[in-house]
Amino acid sequence: MSRRRIGFWYRLAAVIAKPPLVVLFKRDWRGMEHIPVDGGFITAVNHNSYIDPLSYAHYQYNTGRVPRFLAKDGLFKGGFVAKVMKGTGQIPVYRETTNALDAFRAAVDAIRRGECVAFYPEGTLTRDPEVWPMTAKSGAARVALETRCPVIPVAQWGANLALPPYSKKLSLFPRKTLQVKAGDPVDLSRFYDKEPTPEVLREATEAIMAAITELLEEIRGEKAPATPYDPRRARLEQRRKAAGHSAAQGTTDSTPEDSK
């Protein structure tokens, strides 16, 4: 099988989702020529709004190569949404469980069957204060090195203007433009014959994220920070500052009587 058929459930999802997207948003789509016509591949996409999966899915659907998303397992647990997720062939992710590797195996199998698997390498909405891509997890790189399939970087902007990261306040007017741009495949060939150590996976992941960030720079017309935002480092820095503040506060609160 060289490519996944769109199928009933994907067409139904498109019938439901596309009309409001067309009415409520303008579109600026570029780089569709980089989406492979046949064969398995990965798309690696930045994540800056709860609604940007709709923006990206609309773009990808119109290329004729429908993606299989990796999604939280909770979305597969009942109701109409679960039926759509299963019917469209999305891949459940079981975090921190004995089934955590199932998503990796399912992604590899899908690519080897000639399908497209879409990764949000950051794993969650970006926490970068300026909404640039942040440091990422290694899942996309791991699957890419296992299958040696093309990795197509995709940058998107605009959904975050309607619904900013971690916000619940939707702003539809004036109409926002959903900008999506795919780029040339990321060259990971230098990693193919290496053992997939944490260092190799980190470097491959950084190469993927650099390609996404470069596309987003072109969309936004500005330069990203030289060092991607690292939420883990930010949390450690916040704790260090909090500990320092507490220690300083304790010193300030002490009096000569306290030392007697």
Side-chain angles (χ1 to χ4, degrees):
M1 180 177 178
S2 62
R3 59 188 294 175
R4 181 181 180 83
R5 294 181 181 277
I6 292 179
F8 167 78
W9 284 102
Y10 243 119
R11 294 189 188 279
L12 176 62
V15 166
I16 295 170
K18 285 178 69 173
L21 288 171
V22 170
V23 171
L24 296 173
F25 297 97
K26 294 180 283 186
R27 290 171 292 167
D28 180 6
W29 290 351
R30 288 173 273 171
M32 284 186 172
E33 68 275 10
H34 297 299
I35 301 298
V37 175
D38 293 291
F41 66 100
I42 286 170
T43 53
V45 193
N46 67 307
H47 194 14
N48 56 30
S49 174
Y50 288 124
I51 60 174
D52 71 35
L54 295 175
S55 171
Y56 161 68
H58 190 187
Y59 171 93
Q60 184 75 27
Y61 181 89
N62 277 34
T63 70
R65 299 301 310 273
V66 293
R68 294 186 66 180
F69 287 91
L70 279 78
K72 295 178 182 179
D73 64 295
L75 295 173
F76 296 78
K77 291 183 177 179
F80 179 73
V81 171
K83 288 185 178 181
V84 173
M85 297 296 287
K86 294 174 182 177
T88 54
Q90 309 313 313
I91 300 172
V93 177
Y94 303 90
R95 295 179 178 176
E96 300 179 358
T97 72
T98 55
N99 296 323
L101 287 176
D102 289 352
F104 169 78
R105 298 189 187 101
V108 169
D109 290 345
I111 288 167
R112 287 176 173 163
R113 290 196 302 271
E115 300 182 29
C116 166
V117 177
F119 279 85
Y120 283 100
E122 296 160 280
T124 188
L125 290 171
T126 182
R127 294 186 180 276
D128 181 84
E130 301 299 323
V131 203
W132 290 102
M134 61 181 183
T135 55
K137 301 181 184 301
S138 63
R142 189 182 297 273
V143 173
L145 297 186
E146 173 70 21
T147 61
R148 301 193 178 189
C149 70
V151 178
I152 309 300
V154 180
Q156 55 180 342
W157 184 258
N160 57 294
L161 302 179
L163 186 65
Y166 303 101
S167 172
K168 296 181 180 179
K169 186 177 181 180
L170 186 63
S171 174
L172 296 175
F173 302 100
R175 289 173 73 205
K176 311 301 188 291
T177 299
L178 301 178
Q179 300 182 75
V180 185
K181 183 175 184 179
D184 291 315
V186 182
D187 183 7
L188 299 178
S189 60
R190 64 188 182 277
F191 303 112
Y192 285 168
D193 296 321
K194 295 182 179 180
E195 185 72 20
T197 62
E199 178 65 19
V200 167
L201 291 173
R202 181 184 63 79
E203 291 182 10
T205 299
E206 289 177 351
I208 293 170
M209 295 308 297
I212 296 171
T213 301
E214 183 177 349
L215 291 171
L216 189 57
E217 288 177 332
E218 295 171 7
I219 290 174
R220 294 177 59 172
E222 54 186 312
K223 293 293 291 182
T227 302
Y229 180 84
D230 186 338
R232 181 178 298 179
R233 186 181 299 122
R235 285 194 298 269
L236 291 174
E237 182 64 18
Q238 288 173 354
R239 291 172 186 169
R240 185 189 67 79
K241 289 181 178 179
H245 177 75
S246 297
Q249 188 66 36
T251 302
T252 302
D253 292 342
S254 67
T255 67
E257 291 294 326
D258 296 327
S259 61
K260 290 182 179 180

